[in-house]
Amino acid sequence: MSDAVAKHERAEQILGELAELGLMLARDLAVQAREAETPEERAVLTEAFHKTSRTVRLTLALSFKLDRDASRDAREAAREAEALAAEAERRESRIIKPAPGRITPEENQKRRVRNILNRLLWTEAEGDSEEYEVLREDLDARLYEACDAPGFAEMPIAVLAETLARDMRLTGELVITTAETLVPANTSAQPPLADTG
């Protein structure tokens, strides 16, 4: 077993244990909050429950992120191995094609979706940079998987962004600005005046 695999397994065990402990604590706090005799005590216990449950949620999200990262790394390693094999085969046959030096349509589509959903992710994270990063990783993983679908680069950006926002259960209004909603710089934003003769 490699050192990286052992570290990953140990991290998963720790995260699992932390999630279980946090869940037990959250259950205890929920019971105590329901049994609180004063509003002040209830408020303190409710706040503690909220923080603990958020910590559990973030712990679970991190655990899922580690799983996705491991899967992505395995897929990338397989793709690199295939690319190396293809490169070796091309060299052997003396037909070496230069790598394209431009951004692929799929990469451009992913970049556009990230830009559209960025504000919504920040709002969902309520300003918490760690939760924002978890949401960004989740979006990147979903885009990475969606990129393999036929016609991904040609999908309307609004449809793709709305679908991903819905799949991620993001709340808040998704604002998409297209060229159709922009006023050209050389025209007036006011309607033309009526001809009064």
Side-chain angles (χ1 to χ4, degrees), residues 8 11-13 15-16 19 56-69 134:
H8 178 77
E12 284 291 329
Q13 290 171 347
L15 287 173
V56 170
R57 209 172 65 230
L58 289 172
T59 302
L60 292 174
L62 181 57
S63 178
F64 288 127
K65 176 190 174 302
L66 290 176
D67 288 342
R68 285 193 308 269
D69 287 352
V134 169

Side-chain angles (χ1 to χ4, degrees), residues 57-126:
R57 209 172 65 230
L58 289 172
T59 302
L60 292 174
L62 181 57
S63 178
F64 288 127
K65 176 190 174 302
L66 290 176
D67 288 342
R68 285 193 308 269
D69 287 352
S71 296
R72 185 183 62 225
D73 290 347
R75 286 192 304 267
E76 286 176 358
R79 286 181 182 161
E80 285 177 14
E82 287 176 16
L84 288 173
E87 179 69 14
E89 187 177 319
R90 280 197 299 271
R91 284 187 182 179
E92 250 180 63
S93 64
R94 300 277 190 205
I95 304 173
I96 299 176
K97 297 180 182 177
R102 63 180 181 83
I103 296 175
T104 66
E106 290 79 11
E107 286 300 318
N108 189 46
Q109 184 82 315
K110 289 194 292 189
R111 180 189 55 80
R112 292 176 66 203
V113 171
R114 278 188 206 99
N115 289 342
I116 288 172
L117 291 177
N118 192 43
R119 181 182 299 163
L120 198 56
L121 294 178
W122 184 253
T123 302
E124 186 74 16
E126 299 173 348

Side-chain angles (χ1 to χ4, degrees), residues 155-180:
M155 283 183 73
I157 195 74
V159 172
L160 186 56
E162 288 169 359
T163 301
L164 286 168
R166 188 173 47 252
D167 288 349
M168 292 176 71
R169 294 187 175 98
L170 299 176
T171 58
E173 183 180 352
L174 179 62
V175 178
I176 301 175
T177 305
T178 63
E180 297 162 358

